[in-house]
Every structure is written in C-alpha cells, then in structure tokens.
Amino acid sequence: MRTNPMDSFFYALVRVVDAVYQDEDLGDTLYFILSLAAELTGGKGSTLRVLEHGSFNLKVVSSYGLSQEYLKQGAIDCGKSITEIMEGDVIIINDFESDPRIRNREVAKREGIAAFIGIPFTVNETTYSILRVYYPAKKTPTHEEMELLNTLGKLSCLAIERAAISELRKEPS
C-alpha cells in the first residue's frame, strides 16, 4: 500500500506545531524542522540562515545533513541573495553547473549538491531568515512541497520569536 505524501506532511506539521507550542529547546526544534524539510522533499540537507539588522552576513543558525566543511565555506551563491531575501523572493537554483550565481561549484560538488530551493521569511521587523533545502540532482518542486517548505519556514520563525520572548521573560528587570 502506497502512502499519500500529504499524510506525511500533515503528521510532520502536527509534530512541529507541538514542539513550537511546548517551547521545546530551540536548537532541537530548528533541527527537527530542517530534517523534515530535507527528508520530506528528497533533499540531501538543509539550513536555516538568519540575516540580522545592520549585517550583510547570512549566519547559519541550524543545519541538517551537511558537513561542517561545507557550512564553513559560507553561502554558495553570491550577488542578489540578500536583496532577494529582503524582498521575499523564492530562490531556486536548479543547475549549479551553469547558474552564474554559484561561486563555490567545487565545494558544492564535493558535498554532492546540485540544486537548492531557498525560501525567505521575516522573523521580525529587523531580522530576516532563509530556509534552504539542498538536493543531489536537479529539483522541480511540487506545489505541495513548496507549501510544506513555506509552512516549515514560518514555524521556524515562530519558534525563534517564542524563544526570544522566553529569554526576555527570564531577564531581571
């Protein structure tokens, strides 16, 4: 009997909402979200990067399925990434071999990555994030996969905001 991918998506989202709602450890929650993003869409790995106000550096706050060597290399695409993120543009690079935005082709090749989908989010008025899922081959996402990634990204922002509010409550006044 073949399972419906929407059933998997539904149960994954239920588990993520529970983790966010119960204020589970932020690191564990983000890792769980990233693991689902990659596994449910056929990805090799995923990252959640944050661009904070006044910075032009996309800092990896959580990752799944990618080597430390790869993560230390920084963003593999250059140019318009930050502008695209701030404008809310989805980024799909489907062919690392020919896309001029890819600057570290050899690093990506060693990691076994040939494509990625990046979906930007606004965490708050000054902080932006991007959920990226990396694929070993060209990837044309389905509408359902894009909806899932969009929802997982929003839930990651919610988890970050809840963790920040929790920290503020702990600080002495």
Side-chain angles (χ1 to χ4, degrees), residues 26-159:
L26 179 61
D28 291 346
T29 300
L30 294 178
Y31 182 83
F32 179 55
I33 289 170
L34 293 177
S35 70
L36 291 173
E39 291 175 9
L40 292 175
T41 64
K44 177 187 184 343
S46 54
T47 59
L48 183 67
R49 295 177 181 264
V50 172
L51 174 69
E52 292 186 327
H53 181 68
S55 165
F56 291 102
N57 181 30
L58 284 167
K59 178 184 174 192
V60 175
V61 295
S62 188
S63 67
Y64 169 81
L66 302 169
S67 70
Q68 286 303 312
E69 176 190 349
Y70 179 77
L71 294 171
K72 287 178 187 174
Q73 296 293 322
I76 53 171
D77 61 323
C78 60
K80 300 188 326 181
S81 260
I82 292 171
T83 304
E84 290 170 328
I85 291 166
M86 294 180 83
E87 291 176 357
D89 295 338
V90 171
I91 305 164
I92 298 177
I93 297 182
N94 211 4
D95 184 4
F96 278 26
E97 290 297 317
S98 63
D99 196 300
R101 293 173 288 182
I102 301 301
R103 67 173 181 207
N104 293 330
R105 282 185 178 82
E106 283 306 310
V107 172
K109 193 174 205 171
R110 279 195 309 269
E111 190 72 14
I113 296 171
F116 81 73
I117 298 170
I119 304 177
F121 300 93
T122 303
V123 177
N124 56 43
E125 298 81 31
T126 61
T127 306
Y128 300 88
S129 69
I130 184 165
L131 169 66
R132 286 187 176 168
V133 182
Y134 301 83
Y135 298 91
K138 290 182 181 182
K139 174 70 175 175
T140 303
T142 65
H143 175 74
E144 290 82 9
E145 288 173 328
M146 290 302 291
E147 288 295 318
L148 174 71
L149 293 176
N150 192 38
T151 301
L152 290 173
K154 288 176 182 175
L155 287 168
S156 71
C157 291
L158 184 60

